[in-house]
Amino acid sequence: MPKLATWLREKDEKWFQLFFDKHPEIEIGNARAGEISLAKADGLLLTGGADVAPEFLKQPVPDPSVLDPDVDVARDRWEFAALDRAFARGLPVLAICKGMQLLNVALGGTLKLDIPGHKLPEQKDHDIQPLRSDTRATHQFEKVNSSHHQAVDRLGTRLEVESWCASDDIIEQIRLRDYPFALGVQYHPERGKIYDSLFKDFFSRLTNNR
């Protein structure tokens, strides 16, 4: 049985469970609930959460007050280590929202620490933010449900932009060049009904990776 490693907050479980239920052949290991074996994992899912803790950032933080007060250092430490292990083994990686930002930081990139206009209540659950996408991107969506107050700034090593906000060019989707599958999305596919193809692609790679 393919194994997926992740760190999933309790309040997010209901959203992801809808997609997990469509793939009962995959065993989910949630590091928040207990220790899991990364050596036996077939893929890594990085999900949303509080801002990356400042001690892991590759940049100065002029105004610490813009950061979430409830950063989770233990989670960040686990996710950075898990990402290193996944890359070393060529495992598929899907990084969502905060996960995309962590992916960028892990590869030496920086973040816009506080941006306006991207965390309105209606943006989280409705596909209303228009995107523009590179024609080579496998997964392209005209509008997405993106809600966040930070964003990718300088890209990490070998990361490429696949999609960006049509109104202000904020990066919304990135991929790791010359790697089997490492995709970061700033939006929340787990909360939408148009993203089945993205999850199906990711989960199929876990099965093929065995």
Side-chain angles (χ1 to χ4, degrees):
M1 176 178 284
K3 295 177 174 59
L4 175 63
T6 189
W7 185 299
L8 195 57
R9 297 181 299 180
E10 185 175 2
K11 68 179 183 179
D12 293 328
E13 289 179 340
K14 64 178 181 180
W15 301 108
F16 284 96
Q17 195 61 48
L18 297 173
F19 292 95
F20 294 160
D21 287 345
K22 295 177 182 179
H23 299 273
E25 74 281 5
I26 294 174
E27 179 181 335
I28 311 300
N30 185 357
R32 180 188 60 80
E35 186 174 347
I36 62 174
S37 174
L38 290 169
K40 296 180 179 179
D42 298 292
L44 178 63
L45 174 65
L46 302 175
T47 64
D51 297 340
V52 176
E55 64 193 73
F56 297 107
L57 297 176
K58 309 292 198 311
Q59 65 191 100
V61 182
D63 181 7
S65 70
V66 304
L67 302 181
D68 287 338
D70 58 343
V71 296
D72 190 337
V73 175
R75 173 185 174 177
D76 290 350
R77 186 175 292 113
W78 182 89
E79 290 186 326
F80 278 113
L83 199 49
D84 284 344
R85 296 280 294 275
F87 284 155
R89 295 177 54 209
L91 299 182
V93 176
L94 177 60
I96 295 172
C97 195
K98 179 258 184 85
M100 181 176 106
Q101 296 164 12
L102 190 141
L103 169 65
N104 188 57
V105 172
L107 293 171
T110 61
L111 304 178
K112 297 178 186 289
L113 297 179
D114 195 40
I115 58 172
H118 280 264
K119 202 173 182 182
L120 303 176
E122 63 270 21
Q123 291 176 314
K124 181 173 287 187
D125 296 314
H126 303 282
D127 301 307
I128 59 175
Q129 180 175 286
L131 294 187
R132 297 180 64 191
S133 296
D134 188 301
T135 56
R136 296 169 296 178
T138 300
H139 300 283
Q140 300 183 35
F141 303 98
E142 286 189 23
K143 294 181 179 180
V144 294
N145 55 352
S146 189
S147 175
H148 53 103
H149 89 103
Q150 293 189 339
V152 167
D153 190 6
R154 188 186 73 240
L155 286 169
T157 302
R158 292 182 22 240
L159 287 172
E160 294 183 342
V161 177
E162 287 199 329
S163 298
W164 57 96
C165 178
S167 60
D168 61 10
D169 294 338
I170 289 292
I171 296 171
E172 291 285 341
Q173 185 170 307
I174 57 178
R175 74 174 183 91
L176 183 59
R177 186 174 64 249
D178 301 325
Y179 187 84
F181 185 93
L183 184 70
V185 298
Q186 189 61 72
Y187 47 90
H188 285 275
E190 77 280 8
R191 288 175 171 265
K193 297 181 179 180
I194 64 172
Y195 305 101
D196 281 37
S197 61
L198 193 159
F199 280 108
K200 184 177 181 181
D201 185 8
F202 174 58
F203 288 139
S204 71
R205 293 172 187 271
L206 272 68
T207 304
N208 296 337
N209 198 57
R210 290 189 68 78

